[in-house]
Amino acid sequence: QPLADAMPPKSSAKPGEGAGSKGKMQQKEDDGEFLFLPALQHNGRTLAHARVFSGVMAGCVAGLLKCEGLAGVFIFILVTVLHSA
């Protein structure tokens, strides 16, 4: 056990942090740093593109299955609802 005696025990408290100070993650959450507006806008555009693509694919599938009229509209609505959930 000479190796265990040579290493000092690790302390969980960081220097400069008092008992009343907030943690790093809590401070970021309070400052709103986790809501990065450009990233949210990009995600919204990406989801919109995915919805359009799934609608086009639903139309193609409905056409290949020879679903015309209300049956084709039903397939389109079904795929749109499943994709948005």
Side-chain angles (χ1 to χ4, degrees):
Q1 288 193 354
L3 183 61
D5 294 334
M7 298 180 73
K10 292 183 180 180
S11 111
S12 61
K14 293 182 181 176
E17 283 188 352
S21 68
K22 295 181 181 179
K24 189 184 294 185
M25 297 301 286
Q26 182 65 37
Q27 184 66 36
K28 286 184 177 184
E29 186 176 334
D30 289 346
D31 292 342
E33 190 173 326
F34 288 121
L35 296 176
F36 190 57
L37 190 59
L40 289 173
Q41 290 172 341
H42 178 265
N43 290 345
R45 284 191 307 269
T46 303
L47 281 173
H49 291 167
R51 286 188 185 109
V52 168
F53 180 73
S54 69
V56 169
M57 293 308 296
C60 291
V61 168
L64 289 172
L65 294 176
K66 304 231 187 254
C67 296
E68 298 172 349
L70 289 178
V73 173
F74 176 72
I75 289 177
F76 173 75
I77 291 172
L78 180 69
V79 169
T80 303
V81 167
L82 289 175
H83 190 265
S84 294

